[in-house]
Amino acid sequence: MYSGAEPSPVISIDLNSPAPAYRQIVDQIRHLLVEDSLRPGDALPSVRRLAMDLGVHHNTVAEAYRSLAEEGWLEVTQGKPVRVLQRAQSPARNKQERAELQEGYARRLRHLVAEMKASGVSRDWISKLLRSISEE
Amino acid sequence: MNWQTLLIAFWVIAPVAVLMHWLPLMRKPYFFSVGVPAGFAKSAAAQPILLRYRSGNIVMAIVEFALVLYGLEFKQPLLILAGASIYAIAIFILQRQAQTQAMPFRVETSSNIRAASLAADEPVSWWMYVVAFAPYLILGAAALYVAMHYSELPERVPVHYGVSGQPDRWQPRSTRSVFGIFVIGAAVTLLVSSTVLLMIFGARRGAYQSSYQNRFLRANLLTMAGVGCGTSLLISGIGLMPLRGIPDVFTPPFWIVNVVSMALIMMSLYPVLVFSSAPEESDSTPDQYWKGAFYSNPDDPALVVPKRLGIGFTLNFAHPTTRYLFPALILVLFGAMIYVVR
């Protein structure tokens, strides 16, 4: 059915999740990019095709692709296939922008850790998890 | 009224009525498009619903039979169309009633977990294009053959045949009278190839190559290949008939083409029937968007989805493209039907 020799990566979203669908798509594609399951030059499905396969609105997928394009991961041009870019490790940003970005990550991580603690996850397990994820 | 007219009316109506009898149970997790527990169709709760629908089906098939018979006997094509239309509307109403009655027994079959492949390409292989366009090639080759032998055609050519294969209407030889049948063939082929292209580009694909959706799509494309090639073979055979002169007796080639094309169409139903039972994964079409055999979900970007009632795919009637596409397809279909029954 698909022409690629290797099986293509699969993403899955949960429509019941409190996280918006576009955010779930962004997070999963970014994960695949970081772990090299998607490489520079790889083509992704069109907005129309991915929206249809997931059964979500076109705007949801368009928003996700736009977000990844802004991060420098994807090339999204009207009428052309969406492609993975050779992304510089740190896209051109000044010092203040980088500080704001890092503060944003720290805030999201604090919220997540607080949520984990509230649901009874131990501090020890959280620190081990954070270390192992950062070393992946 | 002769026995032949009776037989024609019976063979046109009976297979559809039998199909309608079984249609609501053909895709196993669904009962009249409603997701139900396993074995529900045999339960005591399901019996009155089935009985009411099936007896309604028989009564309406008899009404249609009477109208078609009258239409055939007194050469009133509008009555034949009226019979078919009344039956189609009645079946829709009966199925909607049964669906409403089955709703209290519904179980959730559509999942909120959605998976998709990140493969860039459409689920297209070269053979799928062959499926879409082979019927045109068959028709084109036959039309070309007739054009090359145009001077050998008789001065008066048959333009309409009875079911026994005998011509019953004639016209002077002209481009229209000789090639009209190929135009009709192209219209029917347009319907088949549009359906194939809709299935390739407008249906959800499965996350994995071996997903149920992908296997179901392939099976349906094989069926469309049989239907498309069978129909264009039959029409090409009819288009080639005038080259045989003016047959006034039983004409074997007509029957050969007829039997071969019918066999091809019947055989091609097999793969779809194999896949008509339980899908292994959710079809991502929530129950509330099914109205009998029709699917209408404005939030679903899919143009066609696998049917829950019967076999094959159906249009998403809430999709903006369907507003233009559906009337266009219906016009082509009715145009061809009116030509045939005239």
Side-chain angles (χ1 to χ4, degrees):
Chain A
M1 182 73 65
Y2 306 122
S3 59
E6 285 176 34
S8 299
V10 169
I11 59 168
S12 86
I13 59 168
D14 182 355
L15 297 181
N16 277 348
S17 161
Y22 97 91
R23 174 54 57 195
Q24 296 182 54
I25 298 170
V26 168
D27 289 348
Q28 289 188 55
I29 294 182
R30 194 194 292 108
H31 184 81
L32 292 164
L33 288 159
V34 170
E35 65 171 18
D36 266 354
S37 295
L38 287 171
R39 297 192 192 93
D42 282 356
L44 291 184
S46 64
V47 168
R48 185 192 64 86
R49 173 44 80 185
L50 188 56
M52 194 151 60
D53 291 349
L54 286 172
V56 296
H57 199 275
H58 298 112
N59 289 348
T60 306
V61 176
E63 176 82 24
Y65 277 179
R66 202 160 36 238
S67 179
L68 286 162
E70 277 168 15
E71 288 179 27
W73 288 110
L74 300 181
E75 181 189 36
V76 183
T77 316
Q78 188 78 27
K80 282 187 178 174
V82 178
R83 288 204 177 274
V84 176
L85 285 174
Q86 180 72 55
R87 180 178 181 263
Q89 204 57 39
S90 170
R93 282 199 172 97
N94 63 35
K95 207 171 165 185
Q96 194 195 339
E97 275 178 338
R98 265 207 304 277
E100 280 172 10
L101 201 64
Q102 284 169 353
E103 180 49 38
Y105 290 140
R107 196 168 46 243
R108 275 160 64 190
L109 208 52
R110 272 190 218 106
H111 288 160
L112 190 64
V113 168
E115 201 182 319
M116 289 162 92
K117 282 180 184 169
S119 63
V121 179
S122 76
R123 285 163 193 270
D124 197 29
W125 191 85
I126 294 171
S127 56
K128 272 184 195 157
L129 177 71
L130 287 174
R131 195 171 305 116
S132 83
I133 289 173
S134 65
E135 284 166 5
E136 266 176 12
Chain B
M1 182 178 302
N2 59 24
W3 65 270
Q4 255 192 339
T5 316
L6 264 170
L7 207 63
I8 298 162
F10 182 79
W11 279 115
V12 169
I13 292 157
V16 178
V18 171
L19 185 69
M20 287 302 153
H21 188 83
W22 292 110
L23 208 65
L25 310 180
M26 277 177 126
R27 302 211 65 195
K28 276 294 179 293
Y30 309 116
F31 181 83
F32 290 95
S33 302
V34 179
V36 287
F40 175 75
K42 289 196 173 116
S43 71
Q47 293 319 304
I49 303 175
L50 265 179
L51 185 70
R52 188 179 161 162
Y53 166 77
R54 285 175 166 173
S55 42
N57 177 38
I58 293 169
V59 170
M60 290 318 295
I62 292 169
V63 170
E64 187 194 9
F65 184 72
L67 285 169
V68 170
L69 212 56
Y70 196 85
L72 282 172
E73 184 65 19
F74 297 99
K75 301 224 180 317
Q76 296 286 329
L78 277 178
L79 268 182
I80 301 174
L81 279 181
S85 309
I86 288 170
Y87 180 71
I89 293 166
I91 284 295
F92 172 71
I93 295 170
L94 285 167
Q95 286 177 348
R96 269 299 270 160
Q97 280 175 344
Q99 187 186 19
T100 314
Q101 288 167 334
M103 276 310 260
F105 307 99
R106 155 177 192 265
V107 290
E108 190 60 61
T109 52
S110 105
S111 163
N112 280 313
I113 309 284
R114 306 280 175 82
S117 162
L118 287 181
D121 49 349
E122 297 286 345
V124 186
S125 301
W126 62 269
W127 65 266
M128 294 186 186
Y129 286 111
V130 174
V131 169
F133 298 108
Y136 289 109
L137 293 180
I138 294 171
L139 282 172
L144 190 68
Y145 186 81
V146 174
M148 284 163 69
H149 296 82
Y150 193 79
S151 57
E152 295 163 31
L153 289 167
E155 285 305 310
R156 287 178 76 237
V157 292
V159 289
H160 199 272
Y161 299 84
V163 278
S164 60
Q166 251 181 297
D168 56 13
R169 194 144 48 101
W170 306 79
Q171 267 177 19
R173 185 178 71 186
S174 69
T175 310
R176 192 169 175 270
S177 63
V178 172
F179 293 103
I181 184 72
F182 293 106
V183 175
I184 298 301
V188 176
T189 302
L190 182 72
L191 277 181
V192 175
S193 52
S194 313
T195 311
V196 168
L197 293 175
L198 276 172
M199 277 155 46
I200 295 173
F201 295 106
R204 238 186 290 292
R205 61 182 181 180
Y208 303 96
Q209 204 167 342
S210 58
S211 298
Y212 175 81
Q213 284 113 306
N214 294 346
R215 286 182 286 136
F216 184 74
L217 174 65
R218 282 192 289 258
N220 276 278
L221 286 171
L222 276 175
T223 296
M224 290 314 289
V227 171
C229 292
T231 313
S232 59
L233 265 177
L234 179 67
I235 291 172
S236 297
I238 298 170
L240 288 166
M241 285 295 283
L243 277 175
R244 301 187 70 249
I246 305 173
D248 53 356
V249 286
F250 177 70
T251 50
F254 183 86
W255 282 102
I256 290 169
V257 171
N258 214 337
V259 167
V260 167
S261 51
M262 284 319 283
L264 206 57
I265 293 170
M266 295 314 284
M267 259 162 46
S268 58
L269 279 175
Y270 178 72
V272 167
L273 288 174
V274 168
F275 280 92
S276 63
S277 59
E280 297 138 23
E281 58 229 50
S282 159
D283 61 2
S284 306
T285 59
D287 285 350
Q288 67 266 31
Y289 295 112
W290 285 97
K291 309 275 182 284
F294 298 94
Y295 178 65
S296 178
N297 179 358
D299 297 325
D300 191 342
L303 195 50
V304 291
V305 293
K307 277 183 194 167
R308 283 187 168 189
L309 200 64
I311 50 180
F313 285 79
T314 184
L315 283 164
N316 174 7
F317 283 88
H319 197 288
T321 313
T322 309
R323 268 179 240 149
Y324 308 102
L325 198 67
F326 187 64
L329 292 178
I330 288 290
L331 271 180
V332 172
L333 185 69
F334 267 79
M337 270 171 70
I338 286 168
Y339 177 85
V340 170
V341 297
R342 256 176 67 206

